[in-house]
Amino acid sequence: MIIAKYQIYGSFATAAITTSTDFEIISTGILILSSLIDASRSSAEFEICFAKIIEIITTVLPTQALPSTIEKQFWNSMTLLISDLVPSELISAILHYLTIPDLDSQKSIVIFESLRTIMQCFSFEQVVGILTQAIVLSIKHFEVYQELPTDILSIFDSAFNYFPHAQLYEFTKAKIAELSQVNIVVTILLLSPLVSYVYDKLIDEINIVIEPLKFGFQSNTLIIIEACQDVIENMSEHNQLIGSCQESLFPLIAPLLVSEDSEIRNSCYESLLSLFDSSCHKSISINYLTSLLTIKTNINESNYEQYLKLIGEVIANSENIT
């Protein structure tokens, strides 16, 4: 009886995948196929299904503009299917799909969301390929949509969760150096996974962090400053790292507290609040307080609350205040 049901469901899955042109039906077939493989721990007898799925990824998807909900359904079903039991050709087809020159970066977000949950199924070499393409698509996303490509770059977090940190650190560090003259936003955002997973290495090579952030704040451009804020907020959990950055970054951020752009002001307040979070319990120079007090007459009234909060944090961390 169990074998008979397995064969029936196998026939349903095969028919849905190999004969239908409706992606909702195809996705349902892939879901059934993944359940059968998971239950039997074998992908034998389903070669025709894998061949068709590879064909769909390599020749059908690139030529069809599917509604985002349908495409997300397809890639979600693929997430459940991919395991160590699927043929390597299927993995290669997915990686190849990500390299399509005119692939919409918005569309790639769905794929990277799916890949994040199955990173352990890839080899390190394949992961390097995925991360490299994530960088390429992040640059494209920023250039086309003028928004931070954090959804795409979050694939780095998944990689650090499953693969050796030392190798990923060297790879990411090399990419940061390579991209510094190409796209400063992506360069800055690549600092975040390093801060999260290998912050101890950064302390010995602090300029890897400081130089992109300095360039970001000097740009006086909101979206670049917001990328800097994202990294600094991530750093606030690591006292030694924050302490190594305060002296270099404060003189660049403080003048922006009186910027004409309210969004730049708000982002810079948040950045400084992270730099001087009182939970750090570090003794800092009273000069920071002195510098902040010199601009008090130029503070916009909409920022009074943030300004006073920042003053309080600096006082809480300052030395020699009686």
Side-chain angles (χ1 to χ4, degrees), residues 96-108:
H96 176 73
Y97 181 74
L98 287 170
T99 66
I100 295 173
D102 58 351
L103 179 64
D104 185 351
S105 60
Q106 288 279 21
K107 185 179 291 188
S108 75

Side-chain angles (χ1 to χ4, degrees), residues 9 12-14 16-17 24-34:
Y9 283 121
F12 285 162
T14 301
I17 293 168
E24 290 189 270
I25 294 175
I26 293 170
S27 297
T28 301
I30 293 173
L31 288 174
I32 296 172
L33 177 62
S34 66

Side-chain angles (χ1 to χ4, degrees), residues 247-285:
E247 186 175 350
S248 297
L249 297 181
F250 177 81
L252 302 177
I253 305 174
L256 296 174
L257 298 180
V258 294
S259 167
E260 293 183 359
D261 187 319
S262 62
E263 291 183 281
I264 287 179
R265 294 198 306 269
N266 289 333
S267 184
C268 289
Y269 271 111
E270 293 304 316
S271 295
L272 284 181
L273 284 167
S274 295
L275 274 180
F276 295 107
D277 186 338
S278 61
S279 65
C280 292
H281 300 298
K282 293 186 70 68
S283 181
I284 61 175
S285 170

Side-chain angles (χ1 to χ4, degrees), residues 205-220:
E205 300 185 83
I206 196 62
N207 279 340
I208 293 173
V209 178
I210 289 177
E211 291 307 314
L213 293 178
K214 285 171 64 176
F215 187 94
F217 284 112
Q218 287 171 327
S219 73
N220 202 33

Side-chain angles (χ1 to χ4, degrees), residues 103-110 112 133-153 183 185-186 189 223:
L103 179 64
D104 185 351
S105 60
Q106 288 279 21
K107 185 179 291 188
S108 75
I109 292 173
V110 175
F112 284 115
Q133 199 56 25
I135 291 171
V136 171
L137 289 165
S138 292
I139 292 172
K140 179 188 291 188
H141 188 83
F142 173 71
E143 291 174 348
V144 173
Y145 297 102
Q146 284 296 295
E147 61 183 24
L148 298 180
T150 50
D151 287 339
I152 298 174
L153 290 176
N183 188 292
V185 165
V186 175
L189 291 178
I223 194 166

Side-chain angles (χ1 to χ4, degrees), residues 90-99 115 122 126 129-130 133:
L90 178 57
I91 303 296
S92 298
I94 295 171
L95 298 180
H96 176 73
Y97 181 74
L98 287 170
T99 66
L115 294 179
F122 300 109
Q126 288 172 326
I130 292 171
Q133 199 56 25

Side-chain angles (χ1 to χ4, degrees), residues 9 51 56 65 84-85 92 99-100 125 131 147 179 181 224 234 240 247 266 269 273 290 295 301 306 313 316:
Y9 283 121
I56 289 169
D84 56 349
L85 298 174
S92 298
T99 66
I100 295 173
E125 291 71 23
L131 298 180
E147 61 183 24
L179 289 171
Q181 302 301 317
I224 301 178
N234 200 9
Q240 193 173 354
E247 186 175 350
N266 289 333
Y269 271 111
L273 284 167
T290 303
I295 61 172
E301 62 180 21
Q306 293 163 296
E313 294 288 351

